[in-house]
Amino acid sequence: MKKIRNKIMLTMMVLTLLPAILIGAYSFHSSSEALRENALIEQRNQLLHSKQIIQSTVSRVESDLLFLRDSSAMQLYLAAKKSSAKRGGLLLTNLRNSVQQFAQRQQIYSAVRFLDLSGKEQVKVENVEGVATSIDKRKQLLNQAKRDYFREALGLKSNQIYISPLELRRNGAELLEPYQSTIRYLTIVRDADGRRQGVLILNLNADALIQNVVGNKQTKWTVAITDPEGYYYYHPDESKRWSGPENLDLQANIFNDKKLVLAAAKTSKKTLTSESESMLTLSTPLVLGAGRPSLGYLFSIAEKKTLFKPLTDYLTISLIIAGVSLLLSLIFAAMLANSLSEPLVELKDRVERLSRGDLDSPIESRTRNEIGDLSRAVELLRKSMNILINRSGKNKS
């Protein structure tokens, strides 16, 4: 009877668990794919939005640079300084005031400067915490002749613009503290006769630009911005920021991160998804406009265990439900098996007594199923055997 009982219990468990396992596996797979795809779509859209922020910000810088270069204040100063030192000084003050007003209106610039051909600052306006200040003390007007961006600008032709890499600002050879990041836009300034008179520089406030991209979004994705070689401009871990040789020279490089697989991202010119054993990464190149230099890369990085935590929670709950279902199926299977096997065991014992000659013990059954019918049939057999034996005894007498 144990075999029948075990078969009943096994059948009950299979019938209970098999559909649950199949449905659960399909649901888990579908949910996993849907969650992954939705996360990637959402983050791709975020990357596209970040690129648009950068492009919309930088799109106006070149026109602002040319506007200042060709402004009446600039041209009046250039014309006056050749004829009269006194008049040139007055119009230099006028130019400084004009540039100061411009920087106050256009808060995307951290500094505006005009350098003569020797590299000496003639106009210097600094924008600190939203307040544009013109600096005119000689000790504070530096010579930038040795700076790479100035030498690059001297080689420009008319209407050409040089765009420097994104880097930390310096006071001579020393980095300014607190750190200020900038992208410099430079062009040659010419007088009415077409002769070169100096270099005009707009310092785009890269700190504000990065903050607009990064924001304070509380998401499961980590945002990082790097230069074209993979050195960090921005990382949530402050110890990795400005890691390039031209900045803090920390050597932290995203392409050397062993947790990430980004070999393909380094040469890709479009948004790319990279996946390692534990990490999921989206990357997109950043450019400063058509035909302009590359700014670097924007990365969104997420740990799979964090990104797919809802799925893990779902799997845990599903396993708990499956365990409870298994326990309940065992209990119900045992109850069903016992309800079927106990009457059979009892009937077996009584039939064995009957076979040994015990015709007086009645075989009773209260069950209303096939086992009950069998018990009643055996009881009729017992009664018939009693009748035959009694008749046989009377005939002999």
Side-chain angles (χ1 to χ4, degrees):
M1 295 301 172
K2 289 184 178 179
K3 292 183 178 180
I4 294 177
R5 185 172 180 274
N6 291 340
K7 287 181 179 179
I8 292 172
M9 293 182 67
L10 180 61
T11 301
M12 286 290 295
M13 285 189 292
V14 170
L15 291 177
T16 302
L17 293 180
L18 186 59
I21 291 173
L22 293 176
I23 293 173
Y26 175 76
S27 178
F28 181 80
H29 174 73
S30 301
S31 300
S32 176
E33 291 298 316
L35 182 62
R36 183 180 187 277
E37 191 60 29
N38 287 339
L40 290 176
I41 290 174
E42 180 181 355
Q43 203 58 26
R44 283 194 192 101
N45 291 337
Q46 183 61 44
L47 287 182
L48 178 60
H49 177 65
S50 298
K51 288 183 68 173
Q52 290 173 342
I53 290 175
I54 293 173
Q55 290 170 357
S56 64
T57 302
V58 303
S59 63
R60 55 188 284 194
V61 179
E62 296 185 23
S63 60
D64 284 347
L65 182 67
L66 299 179
F67 166 78
L68 277 180
R69 183 198 66 180
D70 298 332
S71 65
S72 59
M74 176 68 77
Q75 294 304 316
L76 286 172
Y77 163 68
L78 295 178
K81 75 171 188 173
K82 293 185 295 182
S83 59
S84 169
K86 182 177 180 180
R87 180 173 171 76
L90 292 173
L91 288 175
L92 177 59
T93 300
N94 178 63
L95 175 60
R96 287 170 176 167
N97 291 336
S98 177
V99 171
Q100 181 182 1
Q101 292 172 9
F102 169 84
Q104 187 64 51
R105 292 193 305 269
Q106 308 296 338
Q107 289 292 319
I108 64 172
Y109 304 113
S110 57
V112 183
R113 291 173 294 162
F114 172 63
L115 282 60
D116 63 23
L117 292 177
S118 68
K120 180 68 175 179
E121 293 175 336
Q122 300 299 313
V123 177
K124 184 177 184 179
V125 174
E126 296 282 345
N127 194 329
V128 180
E129 296 182 353
V131 178
T133 304
S134 178
I135 298 171
D136 52 15
K137 293 182 180 180
R138 290 191 175 185
K139 290 183 178 180
Q140 294 177 297
L141 297 175
L142 305 179
N143 192 301
Q144 307 291 351
K146 294 182 179 180
R147 299 299 299 273
D148 292 341
Y149 59 81
F150 179 73
R151 291 197 293 266
E152 291 284 350
L154 290 180
L156 295 175
K157 297 179 181 179
S158 296
N159 296 323
Q160 282 189 323
I161 294 173
Y162 170 73
I163 304 174
S164 75
L166 194 161
E167 59 187 2
L168 296 176
R169 294 185 66 188
R170 295 175 180 271
N171 185 5
E174 299 295 325
L175 290 172
L176 290 177
E177 292 189 10
Y179 299 137
Q180 300 176 30
S181 61
T182 187
I183 304 173
R184 299 179 182 87
Y185 285 71
L186 299 87
T187 191
I188 286 290
V189 177
R190 297 176 184 271
D191 60 19
D193 298 325
R195 290 190 293 269
R196 299 192 309 169
Q197 298 296 322
V199 175
L200 181 63
I201 307 172
L202 288 185
N203 283 59
L204 180 66
N205 188 343
D207 289 339
L209 185 65
I210 290 173
Q211 191 58 38
N212 284 338
V213 171
V214 176
N216 295 313
K217 306 175 184 69
Q218 299 296 323
T219 69
K220 298 173 183 177
W221 295 83
T222 296
V223 177
I225 304 175
T226 73
D227 67 13
E229 298 302 317
Y231 294 105
Y232 291 103
Y233 293 137
Y234 173 85
H235 191 280
D237 182 355
E238 293 186 11
S239 66
K240 294 183 178 181
R241 294 179 187 176
W242 307 109
S243 62
E246 300 301 321
N247 292 305
L248 300 183
D249 199 20
L250 303 175
Q251 300 303 311
N253 191 301
I254 197 168
F255 295 123
N256 296 334
D257 193 332
K258 296 181 180 179
K259 292 182 180 180
L260 309 175
V261 181
L262 298 175
K266 193 170 185 179
T267 57
S268 177
K269 295 183 179 180
K270 59 182 180 180
T271 301
L272 189 68
T273 302
S274 304
E275 187 170 356
S276 65
E277 184 177 345
S278 61
M279 309 295 285
L280 194 62
T281 306
L282 284 172
S283 60
T284 189
L286 299 175
V287 294
L288 296 174
R292 298 309 185 200
S294 171
L295 179 62
Y297 298 93
L298 176 63
F299 293 91
S300 285
I301 308 164
E303 288 188 277
K304 288 182 178 179
K305 65 179 182 180
T306 302
L307 189 62
F308 298 139
K309 188 178 183 300
L311 197 62
T312 304
D313 294 341
Y314 168 77
L315 179 60
T316 302
I317 293 172
S318 298
L319 291 175
I320 293 173
I321 293 173
V324 172
S325 299
L326 176 60
L327 179 61
L328 292 176
S329 67
L330 284 172
I331 293 172
F332 287 123
M335 292 173 61
L336 178 60
N338 289 335
S339 68
L340 293 175
S341 62
E342 286 178 0
L344 286 174
V345 171
E346 185 179 353
L347 179 60
K348 178 181 76 70
D349 293 339
R350 291 181 178 181
V351 170
E352 286 179 350
R353 289 199 300 270
L354 180 62
S355 67
R356 291 194 295 268
D358 182 5
L359 300 178
D360 296 324
S361 299
I363 299 174
E364 299 177 351
S365 177
R366 297 184 180 87
T367 58
R368 297 182 178 275
N369 53 27
E370 288 79 0
I371 297 176
D373 294 340
L374 178 59
S375 298
R376 285 185 284 274
V378 174
E379 174 62 13
L380 290 175
L381 175 62
R382 184 190 69 80
K383 291 178 179 180
S384 298
M385 292 177 66
N386 271 331
I387 293 172
L388 289 174
I389 291 173
N390 290 335
R391 287 180 179 176
S392 174
K394 289 179 180 180
N395 290 335
K396 288 180 179 181
S397 61

